[in-house]
Amino acid sequence: MFTVYVLYSENFKRYYVGMTSNLENRLKEHNLGHTKSTKAFKPWIVVYKKVFDNSEEARKWEKYLKTASGRRWRKENIRPRTCPSGQAGFNWTKMLNKECLPFTFFTVKILRGI
């Protein structure tokens, strides 16, 4: 199983797209500064993930997310640009603790009425 993921740095308002076979370990590596391209923008949170059966399919999706149309898709569907914690009924902690992860930030889009 391979996972394509999108990380978001709240402090720097930046995204990172990657692929891994172990998302939990990979996120730790990013947040410990072991990845040159992401260490300056710590901490990172996972805002999107999609699991694939093989690396070829995962690599295709990862490459798409890094294209102009993929960035446009990310902008339309994954938008943690403002914290919706002030909205009634929304539990930001649950979101970050992966209790709401299957909905990732698509939920934010619905809650914000976008």
Side-chain angles (χ1 to χ4, degrees), residues 77-90:
N77 294 287
I78 307 170
R79 300 188 59 173
R81 299 200 186 281
T82 59
C83 178
S85 58
Q87 297 186 10
F90 187 83

Side-chain angles (χ1 to χ4, degrees), residues 2-112:
F2 293 87
T3 304
V4 175
Y5 60 92
V6 178
L7 302 179
Y8 182 69
S9 171
E10 181 69 36
N11 295 340
F12 296 93
K13 311 296 186 237
R14 291 181 64 107
Y15 291 93
Y16 176 83
V17 177
M19 182 185 95
T20 185
S21 59
N22 188 330
L23 183 56
E24 189 174 319
N25 285 345
R26 189 67 177 127
L27 179 60
K28 286 178 187 175
E29 289 175 2
H30 285 294
N31 283 323
L32 289 173
H34 296 166
T35 305
K36 186 177 182 180
S37 60
T38 61
K39 69 179 179 180
F41 307 106
K42 301 181 297 185
W44 294 94
I45 58 170
V46 177
V47 294
Y48 172 83
K49 70 176 182 176
K50 185 171 181 178
V51 179
F52 295 87
D53 291 328
N54 60 62
S55 63
E56 293 80 19
E57 294 285 321
R59 184 68 68 199
K60 284 180 190 177
W61 184 241
E62 178 194 21
K63 288 180 107 174
Y64 169 75
L65 290 177
K66 292 179 177 182
T67 65
S69 57
R71 284 190 298 274
R72 195 167 30 257
W73 183 91
R74 288 182 356 227
K75 186 175 182 181
E76 292 170 1
N77 294 287
I78 307 170
R79 300 188 59 173
R81 299 200 186 281
T82 59
C83 178
S85 58
Q87 297 186 10
F90 187 83
N91 189 326
W92 190 258
T93 304
K94 278 188 171 184
M95 176 72 82
L96 296 179
N97 287 335
K98 301 180 185 174
E99 293 177 36
C100 301
L101 194 57
F103 301 104
T104 63
F105 281 90
F106 293 102
T107 307
V108 173
K109 189 174 181 180
I110 293 167
L111 289 172
R112 290 178 58 204

